[in-house]
Amino acid sequence: MNINLLIDQLIAYALDQKLLAPADEVWAVNQLLDILHLTEYTPSGFNGATPEYPCEILKNICDWAAQQKVIPQDTVTQRDLLDTKLMGVFARKPSEVENEFFALWSQNPKKATDKFYHDARALDYIRTARVTKNKRWKARTPYGTLDITINMSKPEKDPKDIAAALKAAPSGYPKCLLCKENEGYAGRINHPARQTLRLIGLDLLKDHNPWFLQYSPYEYYNEHCIFLSGKHEPMKLTLNSFRRLLAFVDVFPHYFIGSNADLPIVGGSILTHDHFQGGRYTFAMEKAPVERTFKIAKFPRIKAGVVKWPMSVLRLSGPKKELAEAADYLLKKWRTYSDETAQILANTQGTPHNTITPIARRRGKAFELDLVLRNNRTTDEFPLGIFHPHEDVHHIKKENIGLIEVMGLAVLPARLNKELADLGECLLRQDLPAIEKSDSLKKHAAWAREMLNKYTFTPQNTAEILQKEVGKIFARVLEYAGVFKRTPDGQAALNRFIKKL
């Protein structure tokens, strides 16, 4: 394997992607040589075409590094630490990135995010090669066309990495994966490298409390971004949360932005650091119509309605300032609301249960907020949560329902990729006993029996049927997460809450 050729290919790629100026080429070569522990270099004369992304070049360099023992062990984590360090050579200083971003934003906000997003992908900060491994399809449901994803992008931990991480000295820096101190961090065996991460500071509320824009390294949808607090403090929804969400879509009208709920079970995976998620994508929830309208007496200029959605969604629109205040008013009402007939209790023994998942967007010049009512109560019957996926859907989805899924994009576990393929083969053979005996498939047995009674499976239709049925289950998952059920009694209970506003 010719390492000189690989270095030249990486340099040519960086030049083509405008990550490197020609005047900096010799300097960049020397930086790469140092990282690879090389003292000799002979230009290869490479002048061929370069790829859209550097993934294959980096893979080949890591293969060479493993052979030459430049990395201590040939594991995913060790490769990630090395290839991120290599691409960090081409990442500009944060101040330069910010200056360019705001110069472009003054021309057009979309120009600014286009360049910022391009560089995040070109630097392989967004792990494009892994993201493309995700299995994706769309499923028609009574609530619109939902997005289904089987998450294959995050690599499994190598046992060698797990063992090494256990031996690594504990560190409190950075405090978590969302802290701004990750920008440029070299990483370690138990913390990912971030030399290619760049942040854009935005003091949207002019309160000297800047938040920071970045992209997600494992994007679930187009331009999946994260907007995070500069302080390591827990998730909490307040009036300023709504103000900040609406200020964000004012500054970036081509993006939506939302927040996970701020309580366990109904919240996201990271509740220890206040953050939002946004991007440039139209989810099924945004397309869902308003079923009926209502008034909030204290806010006559705010339009309000109930969205046709499996979860309980109230859509508000109006002037930015009043919209934030109306959302805060509604949240406060909801935090203290109880309705035992609907199994909703505001708190038990002082532990709060009610919160919301808010999503902000622009519709032309209008500002809009979807407020999804959430409750995290558990009982002996439902120890994972009353308004959480119930046991009959755990074979497909057992995990928390966070912001992305609330909006209509299922993020399903990687195990389903093989399980659905194996299940399809058994269904083709009508071999229910094989499903019932299989350790990995027996959880799907009741579902398989139901489908065998409903369909005739052929090699041409099996995959399509399974995808359609998974979509139906995801819609049911969202119905379980809805605090007011899509039944006459459930909607009557929702109306009782609305009358309190």
Side-chain angles (χ1 to χ4, degrees), residues 138-315:
K138 293 184 180 291
R140 292 182 181 177
T141 75
Y143 308 106
T145 301
L146 303 181
D147 292 298
I148 313 295
T149 300
I150 296 179
N151 181 19
M152 305 295 293
S153 59
K154 291 188 180 180
E156 291 185 25
K157 283 285 186 182
D158 189 294
K160 295 174 186 175
D161 290 332
I162 295 171
L166 289 173
K167 294 177 183 177
S171 173
Y173 181 88
K175 290 181 181 177
C176 79
L177 292 174
L178 291 180
C179 284
K180 62 183 176 63
E181 287 79 13
N182 282 280
E183 186 174 38
Y185 186 64
R188 53 185 191 268
I189 195 68
N190 55 1
H191 192 101
R194 289 290 184 255
Q195 287 99 327
T196 52
L197 169 63
R198 293 296 179 264
L199 304 171
I200 305 297
L202 297 163
D203 187 7
L204 294 182
L205 300 188
K206 309 300 181 188
D207 59 355
H208 306 292
N209 181 24
W211 280 46
F212 295 86
L213 175 67
Q214 68 171 72
Y215 287 104
S216 169
Y218 294 102
E219 60 176 3
Y220 290 122
Y221 51 84
N222 186 50
E223 298 183 42
H224 180 181
C225 66
I226 301 170
F227 193 45
L228 55 95
S229 172
K231 301 174 183 176
H232 182 72
E233 52 191 12
M235 295 278 294
K236 183 151 183 70
L237 291 174
T238 65
L239 174 59
N240 273 351
S241 302
F242 300 118
R243 287 171 173 163
R244 192 168 276 112
L245 288 168
L246 293 168
F248 184 93
V249 295
D250 196 7
V251 171
F252 304 108
H254 57 300
Y255 275 11
F256 81 89
I257 191 163
S259 172
N260 274 305
D262 55 358
L263 292 178
I265 297 177
V266 296
S269 57
I270 301 179
L271 294 178
T272 55
H273 195 119
D274 205 1
H275 69 286
F276 305 146
Q277 294 182 77
R280 195 172 175 206
Y281 190 73
T282 302
F283 287 87
M285 175 189 276
E286 182 176 342
K287 299 175 185 176
V290 168
E291 289 184 309
R292 59 189 185 277
T293 61
F294 62 91
K295 297 286 187 182
I296 304 177
K298 285 189 67 172
F299 300 93
R301 294 211 295 165
I302 297 298
K303 294 180 180 178
V306 177
V307 179
K308 183 184 178 183
W309 194 245
M311 298 180 72
S312 307
V313 184
L314 304 181
R315 180 168 291 164

